[in-house]
Amino acid sequence: LIGCSAGFLNSVKIKGSHTAMKSGMLAAEVLHSALINEEGNDSVAVSGEDFFSKTRPTIEIQPYEKALYSSWVGEELKQVRNTHASFHSFGGLLFGLLHTAFSCFISKGKEPWTLRNTKPDSEKTELAEKHTTIEYPKSDGVLSFDLLTNLQRSGMFFQS
């Protein structure tokens, strides 16, 4: 996925926007090279709309994967690749905490194994009816505020 922040989430930092944006930038660079065709075939600039005709063979953008893995995005995500799966492995919470600490602070993601998730997230998600609804207290106007007041105090301005 290109530019998908969920797919590029650094689960330790709980951040993904910067990696998603960089993945999109790398894809644009690789795609630009393919469209101007530095390999010597017709470029989109020369052939115009014929470049996108249905009879023209599909161009596979293979350099994207290499560009992604060799960038800082690949390095950052390789370092945390085992974090989520370690909590769902044989050792549970304790193993997950120990493995994540080892992986992030000692080996820096250079361990020679990759832990795999055994089930997709969709199989782990339960129906809402199986859980109790969380009742949050109403805003008190001192420590907590309603949504519109928070938005107004944030200084954000949206022109209609």
Side-chain angles (χ1 to χ4, degrees):
L1 297 171
I2 297 169
C4 170
S5 64
F8 289 99
L9 174 71
N10 179 333
S11 57
V12 174
K13 292 182 180 178
I14 314 174
K15 292 183 163 228
S17 298
H18 65 299
T19 51
M21 287 191 295
K22 182 63 177 178
S23 75
M25 293 164 62
L26 291 168
E29 290 170 4
V30 171
L31 186 60
H32 178 261
S33 294
L35 289 176
I36 63 165
N37 204 354
E38 296 173 349
E39 285 88 38
N41 298 328
D42 289 345
S43 73
V44 72
V46 173
S47 57
E49 290 182 19
D50 292 339
F51 186 84
F52 296 106
S53 73
K54 293 183 192 258
T55 58
R56 186 177 183 95
T58 304
I59 300 172
E60 189 171 340
I61 312 297
Q62 292 179 343
Y64 171 69
E65 187 174 3
K66 183 178 180 192
L68 183 70
Y69 285 123
S70 62
S71 72
W72 60 262
V73 173
E75 292 173 24
E76 182 175 325
L77 294 179
K78 182 175 182 176
Q79 193 170 335
V80 298
R81 74 187 182 279
N82 288 324
T83 300
H84 188 262
S86 68
F87 285 91
H88 300 287
S89 64
F90 59 89
L93 178 64
L94 181 61
F95 178 76
L97 290 171
L98 292 172
H99 185 274
T100 298
F102 170 76
S103 178
C104 293
F105 302 115
I106 298 170
S107 73
K108 304 277 190 210
K110 294 190 174 27
E111 61 271 16
W113 60 84
T114 298
L115 301 175
R116 303 282 180 204
N117 284 312
T118 56
K119 290 197 289 188
D121 289 341
S122 60
E123 288 182 21
K124 299 175 199 171
T125 305
E126 295 180 333
L127 297 174
E129 295 96 34
K130 291 184 174 184
H131 301 276
T132 58
T133 304
I134 301 172
E135 296 294 332
Y136 294 101
K138 298 288 182 197
S139 57
D140 60 11
V142 177
L143 292 176
S144 60
F145 302 92
D146 63 280
L147 183 64
L148 291 176
T149 303
N150 277 337
L151 183 62
Q152 187 266 335
R153 290 185 176 179
S154 71
M156 297 297 295
F157 174 73
F158 298 99
Q159 192 172 14
S160 301

